[in-house]
């Protein structure tokens, strides 16, 4: 189901385990149960990494669920279909060390790379406060144009 960005951000604030909502998105989608109750959201936007922001790639910057089974897999598949319908040829996302990636595998995504922990975004010219997710290894996932996605 379509969902407004402000509603997706509120859902992420309420349900995401370790991240705040991203500042913006190209599109947001939600998954609702048979009674119309929102159970999960996905937010897709421009890639955070500048080198990947080529105009043809989108990144799933956040998903959140209330624990409904298979909701994340459903949203990863739907996000890729929506991105392709908008003309994008590639979609990526990241998982943190300790997250299995089962939802992504269930949606047909593939691992592209393992990323070492980064030191964080703080630097002398641009001081930043740590949000508790620095120093965590990540896995880069992709749903490319030729990838079979359900």
């Amino acid at each position: 189901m379509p969902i407004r960005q402000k509603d997706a951000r509120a859902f992420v604030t309420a349900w995401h385990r370790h991240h705040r909502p991203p500042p913006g998105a190209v599109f947001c989608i939600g998954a609702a149960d048979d009674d119309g109750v929102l159970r999960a959201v996905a937010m897709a936007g421009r890639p955070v990494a500048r080198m990947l922001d080529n105009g043809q790639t989108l990144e799933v910057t956040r998903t959140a669920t209330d624990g409904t089974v298979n909701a994340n897999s459903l949203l990863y598949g739907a996000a890729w279909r929506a991105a392709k319908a908008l003309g994008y040829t590639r979609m990526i996302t990241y998982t943190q060390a300790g997250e299995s990636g089962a939802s992504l595998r269930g949606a047909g995504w593939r691992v592209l790379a393992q990323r070492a922990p980064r030191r964080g975004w703080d630097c002398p010219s641009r001081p930043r406060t740590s949000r508790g997710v620095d120093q965590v290894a990540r896995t880069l996932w992709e749903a490319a144009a030729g990838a079979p996605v359900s």
Side-chain angles (χ1 to χ4, degrees):
M1 66 182 277
I3 183 171
R4 291 177 182 256
Q5 193 174 134
K6 69 177 188 164
D7 296 330
R9 289 176 52 82
F11 193 92
V12 169
T13 298
W15 289 100
H16 201 280
R17 293 175 302 192
H18 49 76
H19 281 306
R20 297 186 322 190
V26 171
F27 68 84
C28 302
I29 54 176
D33 63 17
D34 291 337
D35 296 322
V37 176
L38 184 64
R39 298 297 182 180
V41 299
M43 300 179 74
R46 292 173 48 200
V48 174
R50 288 181 302 203
M51 297 301 288
L52 298 176
D53 190 6
N54 61 6
Q56 292 297 305
T57 302
L58 279 183
E59 180 176 335
V60 175
T61 53
R62 204 73 81 241
T63 64
T65 176
D66 65 0
T68 300
V69 177
N70 297 326
N72 262 342
S73 291
L74 177 124
L75 287 175
Y76 279 120
W80 175 226
R81 289 189 301 276
K84 285 193 301 186
L86 291 170
Y88 291 92
T89 59
R90 185 175 187 220
M91 188 166 233
I92 61 169
T93 196
Y94 294 88
T95 54
Q96 291 188 348
E99 295 176 329
S100 72
S103 298
L104 290 154
R105 279 193 304 281
W109 290 51
R110 63 179 181 233
V111 172
L112 264 188
Q114 301 295 328
R115 301 283 193 230
R118 62 177 180 248
R119 64 172 181 81
W121 295 101
D122 184 47
C123 65
S125 64
R126 237 178 180 183
R128 303 281 170 82
T129 303
S130 174
R131 296 196 176 113
V133 294
D134 300 336
Q135 307 297 332
V136 177
R138 297 158 293 130
T139 302
L140 172 60
W141 298 78
E142 174 186 51
V149 175
S150 56

